[in-house]
Amino acid sequence: MPKKRSGGGLSPLQQATKFLGVSVLAGAVMAGIALPAAGALGLAAKGSVQGFDDIPDNLKSPQLSQRTTILDSKGNQLASVYSRDRTVVELKDISPYMQKAIVAIEDSRFYQHGAIDLKGVLRALNKNAQSGGVSEGASTLTQQLVKNYFIEEAGDDPTKVAQATQQTLGRKVRELKYAIQIEEKLGKKKILENYLNITFFGEQAYGVEAASERYFSKHAKDLNLQQSALLAGIVQSPTRYDPINDEAEAKKRRNTVLARMAEVGDISKAEALKAEQSDLGLKVSQPKNGCITAVKGASFFCKYVEKVFLSDPVFGKTKEARAKIWNQGGLTIRTTLDPQAQDSVQASLKEHIYKSDKVAAAATLVEPGTGKILGMGQSKPYGYGKNETEYNYSVNADMGGSNFGFPTGSTFKPFVAAAALEQGLPATQQYPAPYSMDYPSPVSTCSGKNWVNTDGATVENESESEKGPYALKEAMAKSVNTYFVQMISDIGLCPVVSMTSKLGVVQGNGDKIPEVPAIALGSKGLSPLTMASAYAAFANEGTYCTPIAIESITQKVGNEQKSLAVPKSTCSRAMSKKTADTINTVLRGVVDSGTGQEAGLTDRESAGKTGTTDSRKNAWFVGYTPQLAGAVWVGSAKQNVEMTSIRIGGVWHDQVYGADTPGPIWKDAMTGALEGKQAESFQLVNIPDPVKKDKGNDGGKNNDNGGTTTDGGTTGTTDGGTTPTPTISLPDGFIQGTTNGGNNGNGNGGNRG
């Protein structure tokens, strides 16, 4: 009998009635074949059964859903995902015992009859009448195969599944006609192979290979006699005969199969008796399905790969088409994830921040020139329990990330500098950069409608001792807020948003960067992947490459593998090589003698920028070498933790800075990822130092205060600790989440790190 999806099946009376209907139907079908003029079979009232000759002739074997395997760049398995756990194997890779067992119990005359076994129907009716119940089925393996085709095509759609399994004569007519076609087209061995690959064996296992691995942790080719008999017995009712949940019932059913094998001459009675005395010998393997089971902390990257597949038109024109391919599975996806880089990311995160900490960290590494994502991880594991999350803090919302990304603080300043250099400003450009000032007004925009500081918004530096004039190199090293506000006023907002557009910089919710001066100070929420990819353009001589996660995909179709097209990185020039080299020179100064010294690499050249936002709700370090770029964010996903008087990774912080928390995470992750690789050098430019005047003592440890945003859209507040973080007064419409005047998103980029 065909397998049942759940429960104990039909009652004996229902089954007997069903078999009687099958026998009558089988005879009628044979009559319909022998006498085409009979046409419509007339087996049910008012045309409920389609005429035999009217049924379409071509039944296509469905592409069976299988496991999809996700690999790293070296071919190591990261995870296995599937809608149905199935691995299709050839008949030669299935134990002969298994082949004999399934035939003996399901269709012992399989090799003697055609698609329909009238003798079997009569025999079943006779035996069932004698026993007073239903002890033997009448459907052939070929008929069962056709039914499973219908079920497979139905997928997980409950309506279609019901239609595929409904007990009607109409469905039986279609099933029988297609069974005849399959017998003629495939032959017995192929029918048996297909049946053993498609049928359901319970416990999420589809096909004999998955079942063998689930119950016995071995391949189907290695099944012994009693194991084969157990699996063959499950098929009739996977729930009733589930050996994991009801060992006694499963053993009784297994012994029935063994007895039947002896009865038809596949084994001797002595072999059957000996096998019946053995226990079930289960060695159960728990199913490992989905990205949650990924190794190397790659669960978030795995989900990112899935999101890429389901959203990129290269895999299908519609969402439904892409989902169908993904659910069918049978894919082998080789990703860009480098095992050395990924191990280094995870080790660094584990070393510097605990999953139980009040804040989280996310880190992403990208290869300049290719856009390949080499590492991606975060401190809170993938999951749904305490100190776990399903959100990928490294990516944008549409790819499984947070709603808005995270304010970047002063890590945004290099974009402003690059835009200014592209506009012709020299690297020696000086601005007065006072300690405190009003936002300059008006400031030109792309639309031609100037931004105007109607409410007297102000901006301050970290310390009153920080007074200009400053030139670019020193202003970047010390992260002087007023310098970059003056720079963005000088060149206008349009060159800045044009530069960020060329660098693929969009907010975490996908929106473009707004034209407001506060973007100079990192008031908008971005993702680590966005930041790492943008900074990679500096390392790549000014050419930006879109991030990619997939190297190649093959799909198993039948016994063949076919290659699928995959998204390619698109590289385009975002700035001149001279501008990129100048930014590299400026950002080298940040790690050599500026706010980022704690993050600087010791074995090779590096460049980068720190960032810390208002109330220290976010801290960043984004940096790169010629070979690798990386971004690290630390903060609260809900933006409700001020990182003052806080312990992170067992280390006490009076105040968190971009340099002292994300900086060391970046340093260790990059060091491990690049270990064993030849150190390369930047092409630096000569930036003359301007004539300096005495500015007094530096105001102590610095902080990049970039303004925070929360889901509620509030601005950063003054730090309540012993060392207050300056704030600015903001006009209406500056706050992220508002829509007043189109100026949403302003906030204080303020104090340095």
Side-chain angles (χ1 to χ4, degrees):
M1 289 181 60
K3 73 172 180 62
K4 302 173 186 61
R5 286 190 154 242
S6 62
L10 304 175
S11 70
L13 178 59
Q14 290 173 318
Q15 290 184 341
T17 302
K18 174 186 169 183
F19 286 133
L20 181 60
V22 168
S23 67
V24 174
L25 177 61
V29 169
M30 295 304 292
I33 296 170
L35 302 170
L41 299 177
L43 294 176
K46 298 183 180 178
S48 63
V49 179
Q50 188 177 12
F52 192 83
D53 292 335
D54 295 333
I55 299 172
D57 288 332
N58 296 321
L59 172 66
K60 293 183 179 180
S61 300
Q63 183 176 328
L64 301 186
S65 57
Q66 301 183 65
R67 298 177 189 174
T68 283
T69 303
I70 299 177
L71 310 174
D72 66 23
S73 64
K74 305 299 182 184
N76 306 304
Q77 181 170 324
L78 295 174
S80 178
V81 300
Y82 50 81
S83 59
R84 292 184 178 177
D85 187 9
R86 177 190 283 118
T87 300
V88 175
V89 293
E90 297 181 31
L91 195 61
K92 65 181 180 62
D93 293 320
I94 300 173
S95 165
Y97 284 124
M98 185 67 219
Q99 298 177 41
K100 292 177 181 179
I102 200 72
V103 170
I105 196 63
E106 290 294 321
D107 186 2
S108 61
R109 283 175 30 83
F110 176 63
Y111 293 104
Q112 284 77 50
H113 62 66
I116 304 162
D117 184 13
L118 290 178
K119 183 176 180 180
V121 171
L122 295 174
R123 185 190 65 248
L125 283 170
N126 183 48
K127 278 200 170 185
N128 295 337
Q130 291 177 358
S131 66
V134 178
S135 59
E136 187 169 326
S139 291
T140 66
L141 281 181
T142 310
Q143 291 172 262
Q144 294 186 47
L145 176 61
V146 172
K147 180 180 179 180
N148 276 290
Y149 280 176
F150 295 154
I151 293 173
E152 185 73 18
E153 284 290 343
D156 296 322
D157 186 322
T159 301
K160 292 182 179 179
V161 170
Q163 292 172 349
T165 57
Q166 61 186 339
Q167 299 299 320
T168 65
L169 293 180
R171 182 186 64 78
K172 272 294 182 181
V173 169
R174 293 175 63 237
E175 182 181 293
L176 291 170
K177 181 169 183 177
Y178 289 138
I180 295 168
Q181 293 178 4
I182 287 176
E183 283 275 347
E184 294 175 349
K185 181 179 180 181
L186 299 183
K188 294 294 186 181
K189 288 187 176 181
K190 191 65 177 178
I191 289 171
L192 181 58
E193 176 185 299
N194 288 0
Y195 178 79
L196 287 169
N197 277 306
I198 199 173
T199 197
F200 181 55
F201 288 87
E203 293 292 332
Q204 302 180 43
Y206 289 81
V208 67
E209 177 71 9
S212 183
E213 292 176 0
R214 179 77 74 254
Y215 295 111
F216 302 112
S217 300
K218 61 168 56 176
H219 294 298
K221 65 181 180 181
D222 299 322
L223 292 167
N224 62 25
L225 173 59
Q226 51 266 41
Q227 291 167 341
S228 297
L230 177 68
L231 294 185
I234 290 174
V235 170
Q236 187 185 82
S237 181
T239 302
R240 178 179 177 184
Y241 300 126
D242 183 348
I244 296 175
N245 294 314
D246 195 336
E247 185 173 336
E249 192 70 15
K251 187 173 184 179
K252 181 180 177 182
R253 176 63 177 171
R254 180 202 67 180
N255 291 348
T256 298
V257 176
L258 290 168
R260 181 60 178 162
M261 292 179 73
E263 183 180 343
V264 299
D266 288 332
I267 58 175
S268 67
K269 289 185 177 180
E271 287 177 302
L273 289 173
K274 181 180 179 181
E276 288 173 11
Q277 300 306 311
S278 66
D279 60 26
L280 295 183
L282 298 177
K283 187 179 179 182
V284 177
S285 294
Q286 294 300 320
K288 293 184 177 181
N289 180 25
C291 290
I292 196 171
T293 66
V295 299
K296 293 183 177 292
S299 293
F300 296 103
F301 177 77
C302 174
K303 288 299 291 185
Y304 179 77
V305 169
E306 180 181 339
K307 292 282 188 180
V308 168
F309 193 100
L310 294 175
S311 62
D312 199 303
V314 74
F315 298 114
K317 293 182 179 180
T318 65
K319 179 180 179 181
E320 291 74 21
R322 297 188 291 269
K324 182 177 181 181
I325 296 173
W326 181 263
N327 291 329
Q328 283 177 342
L331 307 171
T332 299
I333 303 176
R334 185 182 287 264
T335 70
T336 61
L337 199 74
D338 177 68
Q340 179 179 335
Q342 181 66 13
D343 285 344
S344 185
V345 166
Q346 289 302 122
S348 182
L349 288 166
K350 186 176 181 180
E351 173 69 21
H352 292 288
I353 189 164
Y354 301 153
K355 67 179 184 180
S356 57
D357 285 340
K358 293 180 180 179
V359 293
T364 298
L365 304 182
V366 173
E367 185 175 62
T370 67
K372 293 179 181 178
I373 302 170
L374 303 187
M376 179 182 287
Q378 59 195 54
S379 59
K380 293 191 182 296
Y382 187 92
Y384 309 98
K386 185 178 180 181
N387 296 318
E388 296 177 336
T389 181
E390 61 182 308
Y391 291 101
N392 184 350
Y393 301 143
S394 285
V395 301
N396 290 346
D398 63 337
M399 302 303 284
S402 63
N403 288 338
F404 300 107
F406 306 106
T408 59
S410 293
T411 59
F412 195 93
K413 289 174 180 174
F415 304 147
V416 178
L421 293 170
E422 285 290 283
Q423 292 299 302
L425 266 66
T428 55
Q429 176 70 37
Q430 295 189 48
Y431 291 107
Y435 160 66
S436 177
M437 60 179 286
D438 290 343
Y439 269 96
S441 178
V443 181
S444 64
T445 67
C446 294
S447 67
K449 181 180 179 181
N450 291 338
W451 179 89
V452 180
N453 185 3
T454 57
D455 292 342
T458 62
V459 61
E460 297 174 347
N461 296 327
E462 168 74 7
S463 169
E464 292 186 17
S465 65
E466 292 170 358
K467 301 175 183 178
Y470 287 106
L472 175 60
K473 191 173 180 180
E474 186 178 9
M476 188 73 78
K478 293 183 176 180
S479 201
V480 179
N481 294 328
T482 55
Y483 178 93
F484 289 95
V485 168
Q486 288 180 305
M487 176 174 274
I488 208 169
S489 173
D490 193 358
I491 65 172
L493 287 161
C494 195
V496 178
V497 296
S498 176
M499 175 59 65
T500 56
S501 178
K502 293 176 182 178
L503 291 172
V505 176
V506 295
Q507 297 181 73
N509 60 3
D511 291 348
K512 293 181 178 180
I513 301 298
E515 292 188 74
V516 291
I519 61 172
L521 309 179
S523 61
K524 307 314 299 178
L526 309 178
S527 71
L529 176 58
T530 294
M531 294 298 290
S533 299
Y535 270 53
F538 299 141
N540 192 37
E541 300 182 341
T543 297
Y544 169 75
C545 297
T546 56
I548 57 170
I550 299 173
E551 294 259 26
S552 65
I553 298 180
T554 58
Q555 185 175 31
K556 187 174 182 182
V557 180
N559 295 323
E560 298 182 357
Q561 295 278 355
K562 72 172 184 178
S563 296
L564 301 184
V566 299
K568 302 294 184 183
S569 179
T570 302
C571 298
S572 57
R573 182 156 294 282
M575 67 195 77
S576 69
K577 181 179 182 301
K578 181 181 178 181
T579 293
D581 290 343
T582 303
I583 294 296
N584 296 339
T585 305
V586 170
L587 294 186
R588 262 204 66 182
V590 174
V591 298
D592 286 346
S593 57
T595 59
Q597 291 182 64
E598 293 180 64
L601 303 182
T602 57
D603 62 338
R604 63 189 70 230
E605 291 186 10
S606 60
K609 186 70 187 75
T610 56
T612 312
T613 66
D614 276 349
S615 303
R616 289 178 169 78
K617 291 182 179 179
N618 303 275
W620 288 78
F621 189 86
V622 188
Y624 54 96
T625 71
Q627 298 149 286
L628 189 62
V632 177
W633 162 82
V634 176
S636 164
K638 294 182 178 180
Q639 297 287 278
N640 60 359
V641 177
E642 298 183 6
M643 291 184 288
T644 58
S645 301
I646 190 172
R647 192 175 298 278
I648 300 175
V651 177
W652 178 260
H653 297 268
D654 291 328
Q655 294 183 327
V656 165
Y657 301 94
D660 67 12
T661 305
I665 296 174
W666 181 90
K667 180 177 182 178
D668 289 351
M670 293 284 286
T671 298
L674 292 168
E675 184 177 0
K677 295 177 173 58
Q678 183 176 351
E680 297 182 8
S681 299
F682 295 116
Q683 281 195 307
L684 303 178
V685 299
N686 180 39
I687 304 177
D689 290 329
V691 177
K692 296 184 178 181
K693 69 175 184 177
D694 183 12
K695 303 185 185 70
N697 295 327
D698 188 87
K701 198 168 188 178
N702 297 321
N703 162 48
D704 284 288
N705 192 352
T708 67
T709 57
T710 67
D711 291 345
T714 60
T715 60
T717 58
T718 302
D719 184 275
T722 57
T723 307
T725 302
T727 60
I728 60 172
S729 60
L730 301 176
D732 292 340
F734 274 23
I735 303 172
Q736 182 172 3
T738 66
T739 57
N740 185 6
N743 291 336
N744 64 307
N746 199 3
N748 188 359
N751 306 320
R752 307 188 317 269

